[in-house]
Amino acid sequence: MSRIYLPSQGDEDWRRLLADPVKHWREGYSAMCLAKSWENASGLPSEIARLIVSIGPSPELLVALPEHKVPLPGSRRGDSQNDLFALIRAGDETVSVTIEGKVDEPFDQPLGMWLANASAGKLERLAFICDLLRLTQPLPGNIRYQLLHRTASAVIEARRFKTDAAAMIVHSFSPTRRWFDDYAAFVALFGAPARPDQLVCVHSESTPRLYLGWASGEIPSRTQSLVVTS
């Protein structure tokens, strides 16, 4: 996998990185909403900045990498392909952030389904994630596996870039906050409450500190112009 990244010229550059650039690129769906929201922002979308400010003042986007892959052990398809990975500066703190975009699409499979007839590789991967996130098995079968490996990605990259904190944020464009209950069940694993548009620190004593958050955004207008970067 190449470690060379090129500057974006607009949301169409995000499209070519998708696993299925035709099926996954549709108006009102998460991939397009996320791309337009972040491109239009020329930095951090306001709903993301409002969460990060709880870590430090004046949040600043340093770099954002769409469809960023983070290697995980125990599977032939060994990468967690995150919708967006960002390094953010907030005051004196640097934060490694994975962003999971959502509109009406669910968080993929619940853990009980994902573990059905699980291979040794899957069991190895889950053990690695639980150890990394300081979670004790067995986990409830209704927990969405996608949230587990997206959060693990944030911690892995925080250690790689030596940041002060890691965060996994669901960037939701659903007006009804669809699937928030699944997110709340995941946050509860850490003994913490989940609230929309708040960042909660679930591991304050660890290095890096770990945060989870839900940011409510609006579906970008079809006619909204995009900021083009050079």
Side-chain angles (χ1 to χ4, degrees):
M1 179 176 62
S2 175
R3 292 296 180 186
I4 299 172
Y5 298 92
L6 301 177
S8 167
Q9 297 297 314
D11 64 317
E12 284 291 329
D13 282 347
W14 297 48
R15 179 179 185 174
R16 64 183 176 82
L17 299 173
L18 295 170
D20 188 333
V22 176
K23 179 181 178 181
H24 296 159
W25 191 255
R26 299 165 63 186
E27 289 281 354
Y29 283 71
S30 61
M32 186 180 290
C33 286
L34 193 70
K36 288 187 175 183
S37 175
W38 283 72
E39 289 282 351
N40 289 340
S42 292
L44 289 174
S46 59
E47 57 269 23
I48 300 295
R50 283 193 292 269
L51 265 63
I52 300 298
V53 77
S54 64
I55 297 177
S58 305
E60 174 193 2
L61 178 64
L62 302 178
V63 64
L65 307 177
E67 302 299 327
H68 180 63
K69 295 181 179 181
V70 177
L72 291 172
S75 173
R76 287 176 297 177
R77 297 192 303 170
D79 293 336
S80 173
Q81 185 161 335
N82 299 273
D83 293 343
L84 184 68
F85 169 72
L87 288 175
I88 299 172
R89 186 76 174 172
D92 293 329
E93 303 276 285
T94 307
V95 191
S96 159
V97 184
T98 51
I99 302 289
E100 179 64 26
K102 279 289 173 278
V103 184
D104 288 330
E105 308 97 319
F107 290 109
D108 207 357
Q109 293 180 329
L111 193 58
M113 184 179 298
W114 185 79
L115 282 173
N117 300 314
S119 65
K122 278 191 172 184
L123 297 177
E124 178 189 357
R125 172 176 285 204
L126 182 60
F128 169 83
I129 291 173
C130 287
D131 182 63
L132 185 70
L133 301 183
R134 297 162 57 187
L135 296 172
T136 302
Q137 295 196 67
L139 301 181
N142 65 318
I143 296 299
R144 297 285 178 162
Y145 169 68
Q146 190 175 65
L147 293 171
L148 284 164
H149 68 85
R150 295 290 191 256
T151 305
S153 292
V155 175
I156 290 168
E157 294 303 78
R159 291 180 176 179
R160 190 160 71 97
F161 287 101
K162 296 185 177 180
T163 67
D164 301 288
M168 190 285 295
I169 296 175
V170 178
H171 196 173
S172 170
F173 301 93
S174 169
T176 61
R177 296 193 180 116
R178 194 171 186 191
W179 310 113
F180 180 80
D181 288 348
D182 283 339
Y183 164 75
F186 175 67
V187 177
L189 289 178
F190 299 87
R195 297 183 179 90
D197 303 304
Q198 287 190 17
L199 201 63
V200 58
C201 185
V202 296
H203 286 324
S204 59
E205 304 299 325
S206 62
T207 303
R209 302 187 309 280
L210 177 60
Y211 295 81
L212 301 172
W214 177 286
S216 303
E218 295 184 0
I219 294 178
S221 167
R222 292 189 182 192
T223 59
Q224 189 174 5
S225 60
L226 293 175
V227 175
V228 177
T229 58
S230 59

